[in-house]
Amino acid sequence: GAVVSQHPSRVICKSGTSVKIECRSLDFQATTMFWYRQFPKQSLMLMATSNEGSKATYEQGVEKDKFLINHASLTLSTLTVTSAHPEDSSFYICSARDRTGGVNSGNTIYFGEGSWLTVV
Amino acid sequence: DAKTTQPNSMESNEEEPVHLPCNHSTISGTDYIHWYRQLPSQGPEYVIHGLTSNVNNRMASLAIAEDRKSSTLILHRATLRDAAVYYCIRLLAPYEKLTFGTGTRLTIIP
């Protein structure tokens, strides 16, 4: 099946610094990518929808100035956690949809392996 | 709001079939039903999806009720590697974003 790759898989950063997480679709072009965060023992929470060449759409309660999303190409989206604090420590997961699928095709969305962020 | 309801947890014996239920009573006619599973410390993995008809693939089968208000994911012969959290999700057309509920934590007993 299609592959979505995230990098880094684990990152530790100091409080107050920024950290970037990359999400790549390796064998397909993704017009839309999604970013989630997941705390231990909880479900995935959708943070934002990233569309290639346009601004991301953020879910209610997600600070767009803190979680910067860039989707500059059909295979790459990045999430930058700015001025990170310990409460931002979480498992961040991206997903991508193959652009060849249509709205009513029920086309599959593929997920990356996730990135563990620890802010100390 | 994922608008699906699943049991919090289920157990099954190894090498036996597993039926994971999902209720989506408010589903609209154009919403697809997707199932994903998540192993510990990994991103979700696609399992299967369907609209109206029952679906089969190498991983599982999906049985969709005639009124589409519920569905059942069937693992025909559970293995220890099937232990995961299984999420039943409505893909809300045309918005097409996957919103996760709490899922069912499946434990496989050796």
Side-chain angles (χ1 to χ4, degrees), chain A residues 36 38 43 59 104 106 109, chain B residues 32 36 38 49 96-98 101:
Chain A
Y36 297 81
Q38 185 177 32
S43 185
E59 296 297 305
N104 295 317
I109 295 174
Chain B
Y32 279 77
Y36 284 78
Q38 186 179 25
H49 78 276
E96 294 192 295
K97 56 183 181 181
L98 291 178

Side-chain angles (χ1 to χ4, degrees), chain A residues 15-28:
Chain A
S15 185
T17 63
S18 297
V19 61
K20 181 186 289 186
I21 301 171
E22 293 185 346
C23 177
R24 294 182 184 273
S25 56
L26 297 185
D27 52 0
F28 66 97

Side-chain angles (χ1 to χ4, degrees), chain A residues 65-84:
Chain A
D65 294 330
K66 179 168 185 62
F67 299 100
L68 300 179
I69 292 172
N70 182 276
H71 192 160
S73 76
L74 287 172
T75 59
L76 174 64
S77 176
T78 59
L79 168 68
T80 302
V81 182
T82 63
S83 187

Side-chain angles (χ1 to χ4, degrees), chain A residues 44-61:
Chain A
L44 286 79
M45 185 195 80
L46 180 65
M47 299 174 67
T49 301
S50 165
N51 295 297
E52 185 264 338
S54 64
K55 292 183 179 180
T57 302
Y58 290 82
E59 296 297 305
Q60 190 173 8

Side-chain angles (χ1 to χ4, degrees), chain A residues 10 32 34 36 38 41-46 49 59 91 93 95 97 101-114 116, chain B residues 30 32 34 36 38-47 49 51 58 87 89 91 93-103 105:
Chain A
R10 290 182 180 274
T32 305
F34 306 90
Y36 297 81
Q38 185 177 32
K41 303 294 184 183
Q42 295 187 22
S43 185
L44 286 79
M45 185 195 80
L46 180 65
T49 301
E59 296 297 305
F91 190 47
I93 306 167
S95 64
R97 181 172 57 240
V103 170
N104 295 317
S105 70
N107 51 293
T108 305
I109 295 174
Y110 298 97
F111 286 81
E113 316 95 320
W116 284 102
Chain B
T30 54
Y32 279 77
H34 283 238
Y36 284 78
Q38 186 179 25
L39 279 66
S41 297
Q42 295 186 27
E45 174 188 25
Y46 168 79
V47 178
H49 78 276
L51 182 61
R58 63 175 181 82
Y87 295 98
I89 302 166
L91 191 62
Y95 305 107
E96 294 192 295
K97 56 183 181 181
L98 291 178
T99 304
F100 287 77
T102 54
R105 182 174 298 277

